[in-house]
Amino acid sequence: MRATPVVALLRWVRLERVWARLALWLLLPALLCGWWALGRGVAYARLGLAYAAPLDGQEGMALWEASLLRSGAPLYQPPHPERFVSAPYPPLHPLLLAVLGEHGSHVFLMGRLLSLAAVLLIALVGGLLAHQVTRSRWAGATSAVLLLSFVPLQLWALRIKPDPLGLALTVLGLWLVARWEAGRGLSHTLILAALAFTLAHFTKQTLLAGPLAAATYLWLHDRRLALRWTALTLALVGASWLTLDLVTHGQYTYHIWILHKLPWYAHRFWKLAAQLRDAWPLMVLGLIGLGVCWRRPTVINAYLLWAPASLIGAGVTGSHHNHLLETGIALALAGGQAAGLGLTRGGVLRLVAPVLIATQLLVWRAPLPWFAGEFSPDPQYTRYIEFIRATPGEVLADDVGLLYAAGRALRYDDPAAQGPAAALGLWDQQRLVSEIRAGHFSAIILPIDVFADGIDDPADRWTPEMLAALREAYAIKFRDSLIIYAPKGSF
């Protein structure tokens, strides 16, 4: 006897419930596969907060420039041969560092706490975003686990840089856009989103994928609204920019867009971009999610399409794996979205999402070789700080965080920018070169052996003129993980 339509429907409903429960039972152990990656992140956070030496070469620059603001000195100063104040970022992050101050002798603690709090906010709001898009709490939990397991984000959670704060504001803006309801016009949530993206831009000027994703999402729903919202965002950015330029007499634009016009190299771009190769399971999930949501686009999918544009910065001189952060965050959000869509809509994602999420978390159990050593910084790195404290006179160092931790003022606060700026004729290096040649510095601490390796710095941080003067006037005093030079005849 053939089943009636009602009986067939009941059987289908029961089968759907079985599949939904099976999908959830698969997702739970999949998330447990993140135990090792999450444990590594927690261990590194504890280590990084206690570590009283630089974890990144620009931490000293960030803290020094925050101290300039605390003392009432301008941040965006005109170029001067006797000093180099880099100020490569907008003012929000250094302002917050200036307000937070420092914690006793551990000068890095407050700045690292700010970055860690920003990363935790990314995980929290990223989870809310995935939940908002899919209406699944498990989507939110999945996104949070994936975000906190992402290796570069674990590292940059403990570095004093503007990226974590700027990305937290970006994810906050995306969540506010996702809360917008079609047909409501320019609601207060969209106005707050525009404000969040503006703050993100004035934290780090290259964070453009978020507002572009928001504008794309709105364009697909209401073109007139998208244009109005874009005009509002541009007005907020433009007015803030004009104000900064007026206050700094044009130095804000000069520092952000001219002084730091760094050379771009394809080989460096591919070398860094290749470090995302272990995120292939999330890439597959992201592509499936784009197909599943083709008729009902989401702001997460729009962000996934725009975020890889941020990788272009990986090719500039002095770039680091912070340029991988935005793409990795977009992939983690797409992974959470895929899990939620599988639970709420069914289809291929119901079984594929848990399998790929488990695979991804197991792949991230061990970081790629590029990152692995950074989870175990030199436990005796403070020996250089003690050396600087015990050395009279002015000391020059490639890692300016060592100088700042030793209580020294920084006349040249960013070798990563001053070398290219000098090579491009944007800053006059002659005063520094003459000081090196005259043996002015009682010690110079670099990672380069100018006698064995020559005067061509592969990182382009120190110009050939600087290194030639060093080779002429200095000799190696100590050879360690860094090389300490002293004036010839002084020891």
Side-chain angles (χ1 to χ4, degrees), residues 387 391-397 440-445 474 477 484-487:
F387 171 82
T391 302
E394 188 173 9
V395 177
L396 188 67
H440 168 78
F441 300 100
S442 52
I444 298 178
I445 307 175
Y474 283 75
K477 186 175 183 178
I484 299 179
Y485 297 87

Side-chain angles (χ1 to χ4, degrees), residues 301-330:
N301 283 345
Y303 189 48
L304 182 62
L305 292 174
W306 279 108
S310 65
L311 292 173
I312 197 71
V316 301
T317 296
S319 61
H320 213 329
H321 43 65
N322 57 321
H323 292 283
L324 309 180
L325 291 176
E326 190 153 34
T327 302
I329 288 172

Side-chain angles (χ1 to χ4, degrees), residues 55-96:
L55 287 169
D56 179 75
Q58 288 192 321
E59 285 190 314
M61 178 200 72
L63 293 172
W64 169 249
E65 293 179 357
S67 74
L68 291 179
L69 292 175
R70 275 198 302 273
S71 67
L75 178 59
Y76 303 105
Q77 302 180 13
H80 196 283
E82 293 186 0
R83 60 182 177 272
F84 187 87
V85 179
S86 182
Y89 302 116
L92 184 57
H93 185 250
L95 278 171
L96 285 176

Side-chain angles (χ1 to χ4, degrees), residues 341-485:
L341 291 175
L343 291 173
T344 57
R345 297 190 193 177
V348 66
L349 284 173
R350 180 168 284 176
L351 296 179
V352 171
V355 172
L356 287 176
I357 288 166
T359 303
Q360 182 64 83
L361 292 171
L362 289 173
V363 168
W364 281 345
R365 179 178 179 177
L368 292 174
W370 182 287
F371 308 109
E374 299 193 42
F375 285 96
S376 303
D378 184 350
Q380 302 299 322
Y381 201 44
T382 53
R383 65 189 180 278
Y384 296 108
I385 299 173
E386 297 304 323
F387 171 82
I388 294 169
R389 286 175 179 156
T391 302
E394 188 173 9
V395 177
L396 188 67
D398 182 79
D399 187 344
V400 296
L402 297 171
L403 299 175
Y404 189 81
R408 300 297 182 91
L410 305 183
R411 277 201 299 139
Y412 306 101
D413 74 359
D414 187 7
Q418 75 186 24
L424 293 171
L426 298 172
W427 176 68
D428 184 0
Q429 65 174 333
Q430 292 309 310
R431 177 60 181 266
L432 175 57
V433 172
S434 63
E435 287 179 338
I436 296 173
R437 185 172 287 117
H440 168 78
F441 300 100
S442 52
I444 298 178
I445 307 175
L446 301 181
I448 307 164
D449 184 342
V450 294
F451 300 102
D453 303 327
I455 58 173
D456 185 16
D457 179 8
D460 293 327
R461 296 165 68 90
W462 301 90
T463 66
E465 294 83 1
M466 297 174 190
L467 297 181
L470 176 66
R471 187 165 63 179
E472 175 186 327
Y474 283 75
I476 295 177
K477 186 175 183 178
F478 299 112
R479 190 186 298 273
D480 202 335
S481 59
L482 299 175
I483 297 175
I484 299 179
Y485 297 87

Side-chain angles (χ1 to χ4, degrees), residues 154-215:
Q154 291 179 338
L155 290 170
W156 290 92
L158 276 299
R159 298 189 179 188
I160 306 173
K161 294 277 283 185
D163 302 76
L165 178 61
L167 288 166
L169 290 165
T170 295
V171 175
L172 176 62
L174 292 171
W175 174 62
L176 290 167
V177 170
R179 287 175 58 84
W180 169 75
E181 297 177 8
R184 292 194 59 187
L186 193 61
S187 63
H188 70 280
T189 56
L190 289 184
I191 295 172
L192 289 174
L195 180 60
F197 289 131
T198 300
L199 291 173
H201 176 78
F202 286 101
T203 303
K204 189 170 184 184
Q205 64 273 26
T206 56
L207 293 178
L208 302 175
L212 288 171

